[in-house]
Amino acid sequence: MGNCFSCFKVPLTPATTDQSMYLEHKDETMELKGLFPNSCQQTGPLASETHINGNRKSMPTLSTFNNVGSDNCGSVPCVQNNLRLSRGFYSRLPPLGRSGPSSGVYVTTESKQQKETSESKLNALFDQYKDPYEDVILADGIERLCNDLQLSPDEFKVLVLAWKLNAEQMCQFTRQEFVTGLKTMKVDSIRAIQARLPETVQELTVNSNLFKDLYRFTFRFGLDVNSGQRILPADMAIVLWKLVFTIREPPLLSRWLKFLECHHVRGIPRDTWNMFLNFAESIGDDLGAYDDTEAWPSLFDDFVEYENDQMNQNISKDDIIKDVAIDNA
């Protein structure tokens, strides 16, 4: 019989048994039915039980099953009843936290493990390039990182990477900047960074707001934070202007940089840097739309005046050449 406990006949409860004992016995029997799906118990005809108080109460007796199979455990009605009983029993059980969105504990644990795994990979990647004496990636580490990324340290994509890491200063990545920035980029390996950077460059090409954010970051990135520098040296500003305008270069950029070099400008304040982007976008290549009554930095006034003088000198030279040619004719 094995565990088919309900295949045994259960004798009638003696007349002297209290009704509460009978109900407890009945509850235990029903639980056994649900726990053992091969249970073969059926209720037979109603029998009478005589109680101490003389009243008679109808109760089901437990009878044997239809003779299907050698051990009375193979009848079809019995299997159907057991299925219904087992379904009713298990429907009262709370769901197990195995898998799927119904288990909040499982989902939370899994996402926490993924987060920890990602951070451990990023920290391990950081450790490959950090300085042996400081918990920072310095110039040597950045050079090795660029070599692994197959980039030159002065390449535009490296500036984009520093922007995505929100690096505080040039030639240095802190652990927090590195880990947090790469998590934001959703990358945790050299190969993933290599794949993500071209996508970011493409986004900057078509999204003017993103490019504006990169442009303003570039000024801060070029400052020497340790010395409390607030104005970007002109030579550094020229290098960074050439770098950040690798894409979306304005037509007058080359003339602007030439003007800075010729006039030996010492430094570029933040306002001048930020407003140059608006200046280059709103003023045409011939500077005809420039209005000196607007609140432009004085350096822009000097630039426009210098350019107009150059144009006038060119016109005068052309006139002189023409006059000489006429005289010689």
Side-chain angles (χ1 to χ4, degrees):
M1 292 293 182
N3 289 325
C4 192
F5 295 111
S6 59
C7 288
F8 293 95
K9 281 188 177 181
V10 179
L12 291 175
T13 307
T16 58
T17 305
D18 186 78
Q19 185 177 1
S20 62
M21 294 176 64
Y22 162 69
L23 293 174
E24 292 176 0
H25 177 74
K26 182 179 178 182
D27 290 338
E28 291 174 357
T29 305
M30 292 302 294
E31 290 296 329
L32 285 173
K33 285 183 180 181
L35 289 172
F36 299 96
N38 290 329
S39 175
C40 309
Q41 196 165 305
Q42 289 183 333
T43 57
L46 294 176
S48 298
E49 179 188 7
T50 304
H51 293 268
I52 297 174
N53 58 11
N55 295 329
R56 300 176 67 86
K57 179 177 177 66
S58 296
M59 64 170 287
T61 60
L62 302 176
S63 64
T64 55
F65 309 103
N66 297 330
N67 293 325
V68 180
S70 60
D71 58 354
N72 287 332
C73 295
S75 61
V76 174
C78 174
V79 174
Q80 294 174 344
N81 288 337
N82 287 328
L83 286 173
R84 287 195 293 271
L85 287 170
S86 64
R87 290 193 186 107
F89 175 76
Y90 286 112
S91 65
R92 298 197 300 270
L93 294 176
L96 296 177
R98 292 180 180 174
S99 62
S102 61
S103 174
V105 175
Y106 176 81
V107 172
T108 302
T109 303
E110 183 181 33
S111 48
K112 182 178 179 181
Q113 289 175 345
Q114 290 176 348
K115 179 180 179 181
E116 290 175 350
T117 301
S118 178
E119 286 192 0
S120 64
K121 290 182 67 175
L122 290 172
N123 278 290
L125 186 62
F126 177 87
D127 290 338
Q128 294 181 25
Y129 302 103
K130 80 178 190 70
D131 186 78
Y133 305 105
E134 299 183 57
D135 196 35
V136 178
I137 299 178
L138 298 177
D140 291 341
I142 290 177
E143 185 175 356
R144 287 188 286 111
L145 174 62
C146 291
N147 288 337
D148 291 344
L149 291 171
Q150 299 179 345
L151 297 174
S152 173
D154 58 355
E155 196 169 335
F156 177 68
K157 288 180 182 178
V158 178
L159 175 65
V160 173
L161 177 60
W163 168 60
K164 296 301 289 186
L165 300 186
N166 197 26
E168 187 67 23
Q169 66 182 72
M170 198 175 293
C171 300
Q172 176 177 306
F173 294 147
T174 66
R175 183 180 292 273
Q176 182 177 358
E177 291 170 350
F178 190 86
V179 173
T180 303
L182 293 186
K183 281 177 65 177
T184 303
M185 294 176 67
K186 298 180 179 180
V187 295
D188 57 10
S189 66
I190 292 296
R191 182 173 297 180
I193 298 172
Q194 286 177 313
R196 186 72 183 94
L197 282 176
E199 298 173 359
T200 307
V201 172
Q202 180 61 30
E203 292 172 2
L204 288 165
T205 304
V206 299
N207 190 320
S208 57
N209 288 329
L210 278 181
F211 181 79
K212 184 177 182 179
D213 190 66
L214 168 66
Y215 179 81
R216 294 194 170 188
F217 162 83
T218 304
F219 178 87
R220 175 174 64 82
F221 185 60
L223 294 175
D224 185 354
V225 178
N226 294 327
S227 65
Q229 198 174 61
R230 299 174 64 88
I231 295 178
L232 204 59
D235 55 348
M236 177 62 72
I238 291 172
V239 170
L240 292 178
W241 259 315
K242 291 179 179 179
L243 181 61
V244 74
F245 282 121
T246 299
I247 60 173
R248 305 173 70 101
E249 179 181 340
L252 55 77
L253 178 64
S254 59
R255 285 183 287 162
W256 166 253
L257 299 181
K258 181 180 179 181
F259 163 77
L260 295 177
E261 291 172 342
C262 293
H263 286 73
H264 306 289
V265 177
R266 296 183 60 183
I268 303 295
R270 183 186 298 271
D271 288 344
T272 301
W273 175 277
N274 290 341
M275 292 186 71
F276 178 76
L277 184 61
N278 299 331
F279 173 77
E281 291 176 348
S282 60
I283 304 303
D285 187 31
D286 61 355
L287 305 178
Y290 184 77
D291 184 358
D292 57 5
T293 61
E294 295 183 8
W296 293 111
S298 59
L299 192 60
F300 294 171
D301 294 335
D302 296 340
F303 168 67
V304 173
E305 183 179 352
Y306 169 78
E307 283 294 303
N308 288 334
D309 289 342
Q310 292 295 109
M311 292 177 63
N312 291 333
Q313 290 177 8
N314 291 336
I315 292 174
S316 299
K317 289 179 181 179
D318 291 340
D319 291 341
I320 293 174
I321 291 173
K322 289 180 180 178
D323 293 339
V324 171
I326 292 174
D327 292 339
N328 293 331

Short mmCIF file of all heavy atoms in Angstrom, two decimals, residues 1-8 31-41 71 73 82:
data_model
loop_
_atom_site.label_atom_id
_atom_site.label_comp_id
_atom_site.label_asym_id
_atom_site.label_seq_id
_atom_site.Cartn_x
_atom_site.Cartn_y
_atom_site.Cartn_z
N MET A 1 0.81 -1.21 0.00
CA MET A 1 0.00 0.00 0.00
C MET A 1 0.85 1.27 0.00
O MET A 1 0.42 2.31 -0.40
CB MET A 1 -0.93 0.03 1.23
CG MET A 1 -2.00 -1.04 1.17
SD MET A 1 -3.16 -0.73 -0.16
CE MET A 1 -4.27 -2.10 0.11
N GLY A 2 2.06 1.14 0.59
CA GLY A 2 2.90 2.34 0.63
C GLY A 2 2.31 3.38 1.55
O GLY A 2 1.89 3.09 2.66
N ASN A 3 2.25 4.69 0.97
CA ASN A 3 1.72 5.80 1.75
C ASN A 3 0.26 6.05 1.50
O ASN A 3 -0.26 7.11 1.79
CB ASN A 3 2.51 7.08 1.45
CG ASN A 3 3.90 7.01 2.01
OD1 ASN A 3 4.08 6.42 3.08
ND2 ASN A 3 4.86 7.59 1.34
N CYS A 4 -0.42 5.12 0.91
CA CYS A 4 -1.84 5.31 0.58
C CYS A 4 -2.67 5.03 1.83
O CYS A 4 -3.39 4.05 1.92
CB CYS A 4 -2.25 4.39 -0.56
SG CYS A 4 -3.86 4.76 -1.26
N PHE A 5 -2.53 5.97 2.82
CA PHE A 5 -3.12 5.74 4.12
C PHE A 5 -4.63 5.61 4.04
O PHE A 5 -5.23 4.83 4.76
CB PHE A 5 -2.77 6.87 5.08
CG PHE A 5 -1.31 6.95 5.39
CD1 PHE A 5 -0.55 8.00 4.93
CD2 PHE A 5 -0.71 5.95 6.13
CE1 PHE A 5 0.78 8.06 5.21
CE2 PHE A 5 0.63 6.02 6.42
CZ PHE A 5 1.39 7.07 5.95
N SER A 6 -5.29 6.32 3.18
CA SER A 6 -6.74 6.33 3.15
C SER A 6 -7.32 5.10 2.49
O SER A 6 -8.53 4.96 2.39
CB SER A 6 -7.25 7.58 2.45
OG SER A 6 -6.75 7.63 1.15
N CYS A 7 -6.49 4.15 2.03
CA CYS A 7 -7.00 2.92 1.45
C CYS A 7 -7.46 1.95 2.53
O CYS A 7 -8.09 0.93 2.23
CB CYS A 7 -5.96 2.25 0.57
SG CYS A 7 -5.67 3.12 -0.97
N PHE A 8 -7.05 2.24 3.77
CA PHE A 8 -7.51 1.40 4.87
C PHE A 8 -8.92 1.79 5.27
O PHE A 8 -9.28 2.96 5.22
CB PHE A 8 -6.60 1.56 6.11
CG PHE A 8 -5.21 1.02 5.90
CD1 PHE A 8 -4.20 1.86 5.51
CD2 PHE A 8 -4.95 -0.32 6.08
CE1 PHE A 8 -2.93 1.37 5.32
CE2 PHE A 8 -3.68 -0.81 5.90
CZ PHE A 8 -2.66 0.03 5.51
N GLU A 31 -6.90 16.43 5.46
CA GLU A 31 -5.55 16.90 5.19
C GLU A 31 -4.71 15.80 4.55
O GLU A 31 -3.92 16.04 3.65
CB GLU A 31 -4.87 17.37 6.49
CG GLU A 31 -5.44 18.65 7.07
CD GLU A 31 -5.21 19.82 6.14
OE1 GLU A 31 -4.20 19.81 5.42
OE2 GLU A 31 -6.04 20.75 6.14
N LEU A 32 -4.89 14.57 4.99
CA LEU A 32 -4.15 13.46 4.38
C LEU A 32 -4.54 13.29 2.91
O LEU A 32 -3.73 12.97 2.06
CB LEU A 32 -4.41 12.16 5.15
CG LEU A 32 -3.70 12.05 6.50
CD1 LEU A 32 -4.17 10.81 7.24
CD2 LEU A 32 -2.20 12.03 6.31
N LYS A 33 -5.81 13.52 2.62
CA LYS A 33 -6.24 13.41 1.22
C LYS A 33 -5.49 14.40 0.33
O LYS A 33 -5.08 14.08 -0.76
CB LYS A 33 -7.74 13.70 1.11
CG LYS A 33 -8.63 12.56 1.59
CD LYS A 33 -10.08 12.94 1.36
CE LYS A 33 -11.03 11.84 1.81
NZ LYS A 33 -12.43 12.21 1.56
N GLY A 34 -5.36 15.62 0.81
CA GLY A 34 -4.67 16.62 0.02
C GLY A 34 -3.18 16.37 -0.10
O GLY A 34 -2.57 16.67 -1.10
N LEU A 35 -2.56 15.83 0.95
CA LEU A 35 -1.11 15.63 0.95
C LEU A 35 -0.69 14.47 0.09
O LEU A 35 0.41 14.45 -0.44
CB LEU A 35 -0.60 15.43 2.38
CG LEU A 35 -0.62 16.68 3.27
CD1 LEU A 35 -0.29 16.31 4.70
CD2 LEU A 35 0.37 17.69 2.74
N PHE A 36 -1.52 13.47 -0.06
CA PHE A 36 -1.14 12.26 -0.82
C PHE A 36 -2.06 12.11 -2.00
O PHE A 36 -3.19 11.64 -1.87
CB PHE A 36 -1.22 11.01 0.08
CG PHE A 36 -0.28 11.09 1.25
CD1 PHE A 36 -0.73 11.55 2.48
CD2 PHE A 36 1.05 10.77 1.11
CE1 PHE A 36 0.13 11.65 3.55
CE2 PHE A 36 1.91 10.87 2.18
CZ PHE A 36 1.44 11.31 3.41
N PRO A 37 -1.60 12.56 -3.20
CA PRO A 37 -2.45 12.54 -4.39
C PRO A 37 -2.87 11.15 -4.80
O PRO A 37 -3.79 11.01 -5.59
CB PRO A 37 -1.59 13.22 -5.45
CG PRO A 37 -0.21 13.10 -4.95
CD PRO A 37 -0.30 13.11 -3.46
N ASN A 38 -2.24 10.06 -4.33
CA ASN A 38 -2.66 8.70 -4.69
C ASN A 38 -3.70 8.16 -3.73
O ASN A 38 -4.03 6.96 -3.74
CB ASN A 38 -1.45 7.77 -4.69
CG ASN A 38 -0.51 8.06 -5.85
OD1 ASN A 38 -1.00 8.49 -6.90
ND2 ASN A 38 0.78 7.86 -5.67
N SER A 39 -4.18 9.02 -2.84
CA SER A 39 -5.17 8.56 -1.88
C SER A 39 -6.44 8.12 -2.61
O SER A 39 -6.85 8.73 -3.58
CB SER A 39 -5.49 9.70 -0.92
OG SER A 39 -6.53 9.35 -0.06
N CYS A 40 -7.08 7.05 -2.15
CA CYS A 40 -8.18 6.44 -2.88
C CYS A 40 -9.44 6.39 -2.04
O CYS A 40 -10.22 5.43 -2.14
CB CYS A 40 -7.79 5.01 -3.30
SG CYS A 40 -6.22 4.92 -4.14
N GLN A 41 -9.67 7.35 -1.18
CA GLN A 41 -10.78 7.27 -0.24
C GLN A 41 -12.05 7.81 -0.86
O GLN A 41 -12.04 8.82 -1.52
CB GLN A 41 -10.40 8.08 1.00
CG GLN A 41 -11.27 7.77 2.20
CD GLN A 41 -10.61 8.32 3.42
OE1 GLN A 41 -9.46 7.98 3.65
NE2 GLN A 41 -11.30 9.13 4.16
N ASP A 71 -4.53 -2.89 -5.97
CA ASP A 71 -4.44 -2.34 -4.62
C ASP A 71 -5.50 -1.30 -4.33
O ASP A 71 -5.38 -0.50 -3.42
CB ASP A 71 -3.05 -1.72 -4.40
CG ASP A 71 -2.76 -0.65 -5.42
OD1 ASP A 71 -3.59 -0.48 -6.34
OD2 ASP A 71 -1.74 0.02 -5.28
N CYS A 73 -6.10 1.35 -5.69
CA CYS A 73 -5.63 2.74 -5.84
C CYS A 73 -5.62 3.17 -7.30
O CYS A 73 -4.94 4.10 -7.66
CB CYS A 73 -4.22 2.88 -5.26
SG CYS A 73 -4.19 2.61 -3.49
N ASN A 82 -9.03 13.10 -6.12
CA ASN A 82 -7.77 13.51 -5.52
C ASN A 82 -7.22 14.76 -6.16
O ASN A 82 -6.62 15.61 -5.51
CB ASN A 82 -6.74 12.38 -5.64
CG ASN A 82 -7.05 11.25 -4.67
OD1 ASN A 82 -7.58 11.51 -3.60
ND2 ASN A 82 -6.73 10.02 -5.05
#
